Amino acid sequence: ERARWADALTAFGEPGARKLAEAVRDGADDTRAAAAAALDRHLAALPDNDPAALLAATAVLDACHDAPPDGRRALVKLLPGVLKRTG
């Protein structure tokens, strides 16, 4: 159920990416995992240098700023996908 809702948020562009990044940063473990997986799938589905990838990357990097340790670890795991899609 969480995965389905997390995947649906990616259709909302930047606001959806920000909500997912916030869930990765601050969510409970199961929520964090669903949000991170949705962001990862979203990034993997985009072509290189797609503007949507830049918006998602910005959301992930902004969320890192004040993330608690568990959230920061989860966000850092998304960085390879972010870098791959944004160059």
Side-chain angles (χ1 to χ4, degrees):
E1 185 74 15
R2 281 182 179 86
R4 192 179 74 202
W5 284 106
D7 284 335
L9 276 173
T10 63
F12 290 98
E14 184 201 7
R18 289 206 174 274
K19 287 293 184 188
L20 287 169
E22 290 169 9
V24 174
R25 181 187 66 207
D26 298 322
D29 290 342
D30 51 353
T31 302
R32 177 179 289 132
L39 276 170
D40 198 40
R41 283 190 297 275
H42 176 63
L43 286 166
L46 296 172
D48 291 345
N49 299 316
D50 187 301
L54 183 57
L55 295 174
T58 301
V60 169
L61 294 174
D62 286 350
C64 285
H65 177 266
D66 58 353
D70 288 344
R72 183 167 294 181
R73 278 190 290 278
L75 289 162
V76 166
K77 288 180 183 178
L78 293 170
L79 292 180
V82 165
L83 292 173
K84 182 175 181 182
R85 293 297 177 229
T86 60

